[in-house]
Amino acid sequence: MGISRTAVVDAALDVLDEQGLDKVTMRAVADRLGVQHNTVRWHAENKQRLLVLMSDAIFTGLDVTTLPSQWEDRFRALAHWSRRALLAHRDGARLVSGIATTEINTYRLGDTMIQTLLDAGFPPRTAAWANWTVFYLILGITQEQQAQSADAPDPVLAFDDDTFPALRKASAYVIAGTFDERFEFALDMQMTALRVELARTGAQ
């Protein structure tokens, strides 16, 4: 029985989860499946193509029927769904960052996020660029979270002179809060900016 493309991508994601992005190779996927190297190449002609397919597979399973109808709640829910999808795989955000994925799951997510803003009354440029802004936020904070070693000591920052006065004044908050709390704060800021923009343009 032949190996399907789905099986190849699933095996690649297993390697990712168990060993990390740097260990994902065509050979490692072939070994995991117990097949010849060329079998993997039949479905993904090179490593870059394999990474694209893996990146797209991370965003499998978006069910738009379960999303809230109100645009702010809907957009926020999509942002949370995207972050959870990345966190579900080791190095998920690092994998997706910098990959130009023109595959169905990635397109569906982007289309749904942009359509949510279009339906709210935002013009196409604002809808498209706001989608990118929030997605960059998700990628950045999630990649930082996934790069942090679980057993790494908590960083200690002591700004006890006037060289960096702003850091000294805010030092208690520079490293405070969980990644989830920081993400919520940043997302709230973005949603506030979108509400202001919607009111400014007179959209209904």
Side-chain angles (χ1 to χ4, degrees):
M1 180 180 296
I3 299 295
S4 68
R5 172 178 286 185
T6 298
V8 168
V9 174
D10 287 346
L13 289 173
D14 287 341
V15 175
L16 174 73
D17 291 337
E18 294 174 8
Q19 302 180 49
L21 183 58
D22 293 333
K23 298 296 184 181
V24 176
T25 64
M26 305 290 277
R27 179 66 64 189
V29 175
D31 289 345
R32 185 170 188 87
L33 289 168
V35 300
Q36 295 296 316
H37 186 258
N38 286 343
T39 301
V40 176
R41 286 192 175 275
W42 177 261
H43 297 289
E45 54 269 28
N46 52 50
K47 182 178 178 180
Q48 183 63 24
R49 178 60 178 160
L50 179 64
L51 294 178
V52 166
L53 294 173
M54 293 168 63
S55 174
D56 187 65
I58 282 180
F59 296 117
T60 300
L62 175 62
D63 184 358
V64 297
T65 66
T66 65
L67 294 172
S69 57
Q70 200 274 340
W71 78 265
E72 291 184 49
D73 294 338
R74 190 180 185 88
F75 195 73
R76 186 183 292 272
L78 286 163
H80 281 286
W81 185 91
S82 302
R83 179 163 151 76
R84 287 195 302 271
L86 294 170
L87 285 170
H89 293 280
R90 180 177 176 179
D91 293 337
R94 184 179 161 209
L95 167 64
V96 172
S97 297
I99 296 267
T101 306
T102 55
E103 301 293 324
I104 187 169
N105 295 308
T106 306
Y107 273 2
R108 180 180 294 113
L109 174 59
D111 186 75
T112 306
M113 294 187 78
I114 291 172
Q115 188 64 58
T116 297
L117 297 177
L118 291 175
D119 290 344
F122 291 96
R125 177 180 180 273
T126 302
W129 286 14
N131 168 61
W132 279 124
T133 300
V134 172
F135 195 66
Y136 291 151
L137 164 64
I138 296 166
L139 282 178
I141 196 167
T142 306
Q143 186 168 347
E144 181 181 353
Q145 180 177 353
Q146 292 182 317
Q148 180 173 291
S149 173
D151 56 1
D154 292 334
V156 177
L157 301 179
F159 303 104
D160 55 0
D161 59 48
D162 294 329
T163 305
F164 306 105
L167 286 174
R168 181 180 183 185
K169 185 172 184 178
S171 60
Y173 305 101
V174 170
I175 60 171
T178 65
F179 282 103
D180 284 343
E181 289 171 333
R182 296 177 196 175
F183 174 66
E184 287 300 326
F185 177 85
L187 184 58
D188 284 345
M189 296 285 282
Q190 292 299 321
M191 298 307 299
T192 297
L194 283 171
R195 287 194 296 271
V196 170
E197 179 64 13
L198 193 60
R200 185 188 70 82
T201 58
Q204 299 300 317

